[in-house]
Amino acid sequence: MKKFVLFAIKVYQKTFSFDHGPFSRVFQYWGCKYHPSCSQYTYEAIDKYGLIRGAWKGTKRIVRCNPWSHGGHDPVE
């Protein structure tokens, strides 16, 4: 299941993502304000901590990515 979710994230990044996919050149200012991007953060968290804990960390990160956040460098810990 973990490998399937990681594969699905990679497919999303290559197709629909404003940060990684073909839309990145058109919508370059609509990307994630954090580095690494939210999808990459979730990918790394699931890879490091497993599906449940990694998905929880990724969800918390996506909730933090809002118009009032400052963004910046936020690695998976």
Side-chain angles (χ1 to χ4, degrees), residues 19 29-38 61 64-74:
D19 295 312
Y29 299 109
W30 288 18
C32 189
K33 58 176 66 178
Y34 285 103
H35 180 76
S37 67
C38 294
R61 166 69 177 282
R64 280 197 320 257
C65 190
N66 60 58
W68 302 280
S69 69
H70 296 290
H73 185 67
D74 182 26

Side-chain angles (χ1 to χ4, degrees), residues 10 18 23 26 33 43 45:
K10 283 297 182 187
F18 289 148
F23 299 118
V26 177
K33 58 176 66 178
Y43 183 93

Side-chain angles (χ1 to χ4, degrees), residues 1-60:
M1 186 63 156
K2 174 181 164 181
K3 289 186 182 215
F4 174 75
V5 172
L6 293 177
F7 175 74
I9 291 172
K10 283 297 182 187
V11 168
Y12 162 76
Q13 288 178 337
K14 299 286 185 198
T15 55
F16 298 112
S17 174
F18 289 148
D19 295 312
H20 305 280
F23 299 118
S24 64
R25 298 193 196 293
V26 177
F27 300 107
Q28 55 185 278
Y29 299 109
W30 288 18
C32 189
K33 58 176 66 178
Y34 285 103
H35 180 76
S37 67
C38 294
S39 61
Q40 186 63 32
Y41 181 92
T42 304
Y43 183 93
E44 292 174 13
I46 291 172
D47 192 40
K48 183 174 182 179
Y49 294 110
L51 185 58
I52 303 299
R53 188 170 176 203
W56 175 247
K57 286 181 155 295
T59 301
K60 289 190 328 185

